[in-house]
Amino acid sequence: MRRKLIAANWKMCKTPDLAREFVAAFLPLVKDHPRDDIALCPSYVCLPAVVEALRDTQIGVGGQNMFWEKEGAYTGEISAAMLRAVGCSHVIIGHSERRQYFGETDDTVNRKLKVALAAGLQPIVCVGEVLEEREAGLTEQVLERQCNIAFSEISGVEAVPLIVAYEPVWAIGTGKTATPQMAADAHEVIRAQAAKAFGEETAQAMRILYGGSVKPENANALMSKMEIDGALVGGASLDPKSFSAIVHY
Ligand code: PGA
């Protein structure tokens, strides 16, 4: 059995004060609820506040991005070692907004993934098709390409901490959700690619999250699917009540 992970992606929202307020309200709502793993991914500037507020809990903290170089003249970038140094356990890599607005490609995802794994982070690699691709019947092909390139030159042993999030781009922030069956089908495609790259054992143990308009109202139906190992939640993770309701799906 794979343990589910419910992860919050706050994107470019909240200041350190608001992040601390969230954690103070959220912790009592999820205490005594050890069923799944939980992680919060705030903006870089909120990481120290969130790490500090979550001390003595099992809740993980993740960055939303990182650069593959160790250090140097890369203005505005953050390294894997920096994320580790402030206490991150996770990092999101290749979110569709990074791909759409900041020029990330399957190849940059692969470079970042290798470095994140080497640094001891648990990467959450995002893949997913845009609406035109789904309508053209290309979903499977797109997922195969994204996974093949992202997973290349990584061994089965190295890939053990890897988590993948299937996030159909047409479902992100739109209120449209993939049906549990659509998500489960996509997850099977992703797991098959992981099996090719990493071997059956690592692939079977790898968690594949669903992301895209996950809300308290649809979390249960999605999380009941065997193939769905958790959720990556954007909008509905900003409020402690709605995010805790998702954790309690
Ligand atoms: P959403 O975002 O829940 O607001 O659709 C999900 C994500 O982008 O990770």
Side-chain angles (χ1 to χ4, degrees):
M1 269 302 278
R2 294 179 293 264
R3 194 174 157 82
K4 292 194 200 289
L5 167 67
I6 313 295
N9 173 11
W10 287 351
K11 309 191 179 182
M12 199 175 73
C13 300
K14 295 192 193 295
T15 57
D17 279 349
L18 291 174
R20 271 187 287 265
E21 259 175 45
F22 175 99
V23 175
F26 179 67
L27 285 182
L29 300 174
V30 296
K31 126 171 147 5
D32 306 324
H33 191 76
R35 177 181 54 189
D36 302 320
D37 292 337
I38 304 173
L40 303 182
C41 304
S43 69
Y44 295 135
V45 296
C46 293
L47 286 170
V50 171
V51 167
E52 171 62 28
L54 291 176
R55 214 203 317 219
D56 306 323
T57 76
Q58 298 296 310
I59 301 178
V61 181
Q64 297 175 9
N65 178 34
M66 51 161 268
F67 190 47
W68 58 76
E69 292 291 349
K70 277 201 173 70
E71 68 175 0
Y74 304 104
T75 302
E77 291 298 325
I78 296 267
S79 72
M82 289 171 183
L83 292 179
R84 290 285 285 162
V86 294
C88 284
S89 48
H90 293 74
V91 62
I92 299 172
I93 294 179
H95 189 279
S96 63
E97 286 148 19
R98 302 288 324 165
R99 296 177 190 250
Q100 191 180 345
Y101 305 128
F102 304 101
E104 299 218 4
T105 64
D106 296 328
D107 183 56
T108 64
V109 169
N110 174 249
R111 294 180 79 163
K112 291 179 177 192
L113 175 56
K114 286 184 213 159
V115 173
L117 287 168
L121 290 160
Q122 295 180 62
I124 304 173
V125 168
C126 301
V127 294
E129 78 287 0
V130 301
L131 185 61
E132 300 76 65
E133 290 165 338
R134 174 157 287 269
E135 285 176 343
L138 294 173
T139 300
E140 198 170 320
Q141 230 173 291
V142 169
L143 293 174
E144 284 176 358
R145 187 204 72 228
Q146 290 175 330
C147 290
N148 271 338
I149 300 174
F151 299 166
S152 70
E153 294 163 23
I154 296 167
S155 74
V157 172
E158 289 163 336
V160 167
L162 171 62
I163 300 160
V164 174
Y166 169 57
E167 298 211 311
V169 179
W170 49 268
I172 295 177
T174 57
K176 288 188 201 147
T177 320
T179 63
Q181 192 55 48
M182 276 160 127
D185 290 347
H187 287 208
E188 274 174 30
V189 173
I190 293 165
R191 201 174 300 286
Q193 293 310 303
K196 261 206 238 161
F198 309 133
E200 200 56 51
E201 196 182 334
T202 300
Q204 283 306 324
M206 187 179 88
R207 291 183 288 186
I208 306 178
L209 318 182
Y210 168 77
S213 298
V214 176
K215 301 177 271 248
E217 303 80 60
N218 59 26
N220 188 272
L222 288 160
M223 294 306 120
S224 310
K225 281 274 178 202
M226 274 277 291
E227 260 303 316
I228 302 183
D229 306 314
L232 183 56
V233 188
S237 75
L238 292 170
D239 173 71
K241 284 211 191 83
S242 81
F243 189 52
S244 72
I246 292 171
V247 170
H248 286 273
Y249 61 84

